[in-house]
Amino acid sequence: MMNLAELAEYVDEAARTATEIPQISDKTPLTVEDAYAVQALSMQRRYARGEKRIGIKMGLTSRAKMVQVGVSDVIWGRLTDAMREDEGGVVSMAKYVHPRVEPEIAFLMKKPLSGNVSALEAMAAVEAVAPALEIIDSRYKAFKFDVGDVIADNSSSSGFVLGTWHSPEIDLSNLGMVLSINGRPQEIGSSAAILGNPVRSLVAAARMVASAGEELKAGDIVLAGGATAAIPMAAGQSVLLEVETLGMIGFNIGE
């Protein structure tokens, strides 16, 4: 059995080289605590290569996904500047193993936030909100994993695209969202699918970073979690997300 540092190297190399790997849980399932330790160590390797942490992403933010994976809480991962893709640009499939895209809501922080906070306190720390697309890419074979596997693999976070920032005064509780591929709607949903209200995801984010001895800093981005099922990506596709009130964002997929 590999130790935590070796597991961190294992998942980091898989992400860095876009290489598929067997699940860690095939040999020894990780506790949630150990999985987060592996994630933190793997991210330290990225920081050492020059990447900068610019925020966090929330995962398993729908009750259905929690039940499916057998957990009672959301999970989180870290975002770096290297993960950001250009809105309207071309995303290369070569960077990923089996990427999927999902529609999200993003928060931009204007002041630090951590610990147990109310929805009102959380929103008071927000500078702006925007439509977002997250590219999730589990490096594990066949996109199969348990919760320890996925947390260790930075909660599948691999890339993201941000739209135009808007006033945080906008009511985010039930915004219609349509995710289209090549002009055809594939997933239709609502921001209410994100824990009932994306603000609850931000509240959870503040609590979870505090438990890791971190905080959300001014300028940090928080991705609130997928509002619909994630769609497998393929070269040649054009991805477009329309969010009620917040507008449209998209990207094209290259080889």
Side-chain angles (χ1 to χ4, degrees):
M1 172 62 187
M2 292 184 273
N3 63 32
L4 297 182
E6 288 166 338
L7 288 171
E9 181 178 4
Y10 179 65
V11 294
D12 176 54
E13 278 300 295
R16 189 181 70 79
T17 60
T19 305
E20 196 174 60
I21 54 173
Q23 291 82 350
I24 296 168
S25 57
D26 282 352
K27 291 184 177 171
T28 309
L30 289 172
T31 64
V32 166
E33 192 177 27
D34 280 349
Y36 277 119
V38 171
Q39 181 191 129
L41 289 167
S42 75
M43 296 309 292
Q44 290 298 337
R45 295 172 61 85
R46 293 194 191 191
Y47 306 150
R49 292 198 294 272
E51 293 184 37
K52 292 181 175 60
R53 176 190 169 289
I54 58 168
I56 71 163
K57 63 77 52 95
M58 303 300 288
L60 302 184
T61 49
S62 76
R63 298 295 173 205
K65 279 189 183 174
M66 282 188 207
V67 170
Q68 187 183 348
V69 182
V71 295
S72 57
D73 204 354
V74 291
I75 62 173
W76 67 287
R78 294 157 171 95
L79 302 175
T80 76
D81 55 346
M83 295 181 191
R84 188 165 181 172
E85 301 279 5
D86 291 337
E87 200 282 316
V90 177
V91 171
S92 168
M93 283 292 286
K95 292 169 64 174
Y96 304 103
V97 179
H98 23 51
R100 302 179 181 199
V101 60
E102 59 186 25
E104 309 222 0
I105 300 289
F107 296 97
L108 178 65
M109 309 307 297
K110 68 180 174 187
K111 58 187 186 187
L113 186 71
S114 70
N116 292 321
V117 298
S118 67
L120 202 62
E121 289 167 326
M123 286 310 294
V126 172
E127 177 77 31
V129 297
L133 288 163
E134 185 183 9
I135 299 166
I136 58 171
D137 184 25
S138 170
R139 268 57 69 156
Y140 299 112
K141 285 182 178 172
F143 214 90
K144 287 177 69 178
F145 40 76
D146 71 6
V147 71
D149 289 325
V150 72
I151 291 170
D153 190 29
N154 197 29
S155 296
S156 298
S157 191
S158 300
F160 64 96
V161 174
L162 297 174
T164 304
W165 293 108
H166 294 266
S167 163
E169 303 288 313
I170 290 170
D171 180 1
L172 300 175
S173 62
N174 188 19
L175 299 178
M177 303 174 81
V178 180
L179 182 59
S180 299
I181 303 291
N182 295 341
R184 294 189 190 89
Q186 298 292 314
E187 289 288 341
I188 297 172
S190 162
S191 57
I194 306 167
L195 292 180
N197 186 328
V199 177
R200 289 184 187 145
S201 185
L202 182 60
V203 168
R207 169 173 57 84
M208 298 190 92
V209 294
S211 69
E214 295 186 26
E215 66 176 4
L216 299 173
K217 299 179 171 66
D220 271 1
I221 293 153
V222 178
L223 295 181
T228 72
I231 297 176
M233 289 167 48
Q237 290 177 336
S238 174
V239 179
L240 183 72
L241 170 65
E242 299 173 74
V243 182
E244 185 183 352
T245 314
L246 299 182
M248 295 188 292
I249 65 167
F251 62 87
N252 296 305
I253 307 172
E255 295 296 335

